[in-house]
Amino acid sequence: MSARTTPQVSTINPSIPKILRYVEWAFLVMVTLRLIFPILNKSLPYEANNSNYLVFWVFGVLAILSFFFPIRRPMWQRRAYIFAEIGCLLLTRIFTQVGLDLFLFLYLAKSCFLLRRRDVIITVVLAGIAWHIGFAWWFMNAFLSDISNPIEEQKALFEERVKIIQEAPQVLLADIIFNNLVLYISMSILILLLCLTLVAEYRSRQQAIALTQEVELLAADLERTRIARDIHDSLGHTLTSLDVQLELAQRLYERNSNKLQPALDTAKVLASQSLQEVRRAVTTMREETFDLNKALPQLLESFTSNPSITVKSKIDLPQLPLQTNHQLYCVLKEGLENIRKHSQAQVIHLKGYASADAVILELKDDGIGFDIAKPTQGFGLRGMQERVQLIGGSIQLDSTPGQGSCIQIRIPR
């Protein structure tokens, strides 16, 4: 197999950073306009104070950070990025009355795409604790400020609030818990489930694409291996036999033997067969049909031209899939070459027929045979078995020293 590089799986969709950036810019513009409008409107009795300047400073920092989305940076830089954004929000939560809860949920959504799942959960918990502690701090400071410096216009409303707190403090506590803690938990869970689902879905899709690419690479390697094996098993054997015949023809020519003509005829048949093998190997994937009933007799021609070998064949096969026909052809080709090289056979029987449940091919010879229990080298039996297994069939080999060999192939219909 050739070396392959596994495609990298991206963590998030490339459009996610742009969407989050546009949402953040929209939030910044809306809240900024809300703060600037009463300041610019001279008809309203409103003056900018330190809390407004703090909010504008925080918005400037957040606007700068919004241009970055450190998805490909080290993990510590991602944590620092989320910590900086949430930390800026906590300043506004503690020292001002400007509500920026939407920004908090937006940055929690960002953490889902930048941090690991465990880090996201820790961030949500710690941000929630810090956020509500900051709210409690601001609430206490505002309450104490109202006590020390009550405003005449709001004195009645203030006294009413104090009365409610004195008479039913549990109502105020329940209201704070419901409006802040419960809302935060529910919104955080919703955002986490939504964003983490997007991350998981995109990652699964990318893994599927990477797996598809890997399968395509593997299929290409297998196809190259198959073509190389086909050339070796078919064309390689034929060219070897052609080389032997041509060498024999050279020797006979030097001796002026009358056996030169049969040797040249055999060499010509082998050369034609080699050309057919090349064409078949090149065009197999583009062929729609491959008829074994016609191809196998052509394969036997190199034997029929040899007067020392008698070939008997009876082939009546049904139409089979292209891949099945191709593999059977290569298996029989290998078997015939083994007979030619090793068996010293005088008679070869090739039979192909179909039963009710299987297609059967039998290749017999009356050669010297061999002991099946002993390991053999150069017979290509393993390659034949692999080819038959590829098309879901079975192969049975019977041989006895001095009594020839028999190969039977069964392919389920």
Side-chain angles (χ1 to χ4, degrees):
M1 290 299 219
S2 61
R4 296 188 301 272
T5 303
T6 302
Q8 297 294 324
V9 177
S10 178
T11 305
I12 66 169
N13 191 316
S15 62
I16 292 294
K18 292 183 179 179
I19 295 174
L20 293 176
R21 183 179 298 119
Y22 295 153
V23 172
E24 187 172 3
W25 287 349
F27 286 175
L28 288 170
V29 170
M30 288 188 296
V31 178
T32 302
L33 291 177
R34 175 192 165 195
L35 294 176
I36 292 178
F37 178 76
I39 297 177
L40 298 180
N41 195 336
K42 302 300 183 179
S43 61
L44 296 177
Y46 184 86
E47 294 183 2
N49 50 35
N50 292 333
S51 64
N52 294 118
Y53 298 131
L54 175 62
V55 172
F56 291 139
W57 179 85
V58 168
F59 277 14
V61 174
L62 295 180
I64 295 174
L65 293 177
S66 66
F67 287 94
F68 303 95
F69 198 85
I71 185 63
R72 305 195 182 280
R73 308 299 297 177
M75 184 56 65
W76 71 268
Q77 294 186 16
R78 304 185 199 179
R79 294 194 186 105
Y81 177 81
I82 297 297
F83 174 80
E85 290 191 319
I86 296 179
C88 290
L89 292 183
L90 287 176
L91 293 178
T92 62
R93 176 80 282 181
I94 294 173
F95 299 108
T96 71
Q97 59 180 357
V98 178
L100 300 177
D101 301 63
L102 289 178
F103 284 90
L104 178 62
F105 294 128
L106 175 64
Y107 298 148
L108 293 181
K110 275 189 178 182
S111 68
C112 294
F113 300 106
L114 292 174
L115 307 179
R116 291 188 289 262
R117 183 170 301 182
R118 183 187 63 181
D119 295 338
V120 171
I121 296 175
I122 294 174
T123 300
V124 171
V125 173
L126 295 181
I129 294 174
W131 190 257
H132 289 86
I133 290 177
F135 172 76
W137 177 269
W138 171 81
F139 182 81
M140 292 299 298
N141 286 338
F143 184 74
L144 294 175
S145 176
D146 289 341
I147 293 177
S148 59
N149 298 306
I151 302 175
E152 289 295 332
E153 293 80 0
Q154 299 179 354
K155 191 172 183 179
L157 179 60
F158 173 73
E159 292 177 352
E160 183 178 353
R161 289 179 180 176
V162 173
K163 183 178 180 181
I164 293 175
I165 295 174
Q166 292 175 347
E167 293 179 354
Q170 68 278 7
V171 175
L172 180 62
L173 181 62
D175 182 67
I176 293 176
I177 293 177
F178 179 80
N179 290 326
N180 292 275
L181 186 59
V182 175
L183 180 61
Y184 176 81
I185 293 175
S186 59
M187 287 295 295
S188 298
I189 293 176
L190 177 62
I191 290 174
L192 260 63
L193 291 177
L194 193 61
C195 295
L196 293 178
T197 300
L198 288 175
V199 171
E201 189 273 337
Y202 183 77
R203 188 174 298 171
S204 299
R205 190 189 314 148
Q206 292 297 101
Q207 289 175 346
I209 294 174
L211 181 60
T212 301
Q213 296 174 351
E214 186 72 10
V215 170
E216 290 176 354
L217 291 174
L218 180 60
D221 284 346
L222 290 175
E223 182 64 14
R224 285 193 291 267
T225 302
R226 184 192 68 78
I227 293 174
R229 183 171 56 191
D230 289 350
I231 293 175
H232 173 270
D233 292 349
S234 58
L235 185 60
H237 292 312
T238 306
L239 291 176
T240 301
S241 301
L242 177 60
D243 181 70
V244 171
Q245 290 296 323
L246 291 176
E247 184 179 355
L248 175 61
Q250 286 179 336
R251 293 178 180 177
L252 293 175
Y253 175 77
E254 293 172 355
R255 298 175 184 177
N256 293 321
S257 174
N258 56 1
K259 296 182 180 180
L260 175 60
Q261 187 62 40
L264 290 176
D265 292 340
T266 302
K268 176 63 173 64
V269 171
L270 290 173
S272 299
Q273 189 173 329
S274 298
L275 182 58
Q276 292 175 0
E277 293 293 342
V278 171
R279 291 173 177 172
R280 183 184 58 81
V282 172
T283 61
T284 293
M285 296 307 295
R286 293 181 291 182
E287 289 178 347
E288 296 181 358
T289 60
F290 181 70
D291 192 354
L292 278 180
N293 294 313
K294 296 180 180 179
L296 292 180
Q298 296 176 357
L299 186 62
L300 295 172
E301 287 181 2
S302 61
F303 289 89
T304 57
S305 62
N306 189 344
S308 63
I309 300 178
T310 300
V311 178
K312 298 180 180 180
S313 64
K314 184 179 180 180
I315 304 170
D316 185 15
L317 297 171
Q319 185 61 43
L320 298 172
L322 174 62
Q323 180 68 9
T324 301
N325 284 335
H326 173 70
Q327 297 296 345
L328 290 176
Y329 180 88
C330 292
V331 170
L332 293 174
K333 171 76 174 176
E334 180 71 24
L336 289 170
E337 290 300 328
N338 289 338
I339 293 174
R340 185 201 301 273
K341 293 179 180 178
H342 309 290
S343 71
Q344 302 177 20
Q346 295 181 350
V347 180
I348 299 175
H349 295 269
L350 177 59
K351 187 178 181 181
Y353 60 96
S355 65
D357 60 346
V359 174
I360 302 170
L361 292 101
E362 294 179 353
L363 180 62
K364 299 180 181 179
D365 68 82
D366 62 347
I368 61 176
F370 61 95
D371 188 354
I372 299 177
K374 294 182 179 180
T376 57
Q377 295 182 353
F379 284 75
L381 297 178
R382 179 177 299 178
M384 297 168 65
Q385 292 173 348
E386 290 175 352
R387 287 184 180 277
V388 174
Q389 290 174 358
L390 283 175
I391 54 179
S394 61
I395 183 171
Q396 182 178 353
L397 175 63
D398 294 321
S399 183
T400 303
Q403 299 183 15
S405 303
C406 176
I407 298 174
Q408 185 183 79
I409 304 169
R410 295 179 65 89
I411 307 298
R413 298 190 69 174

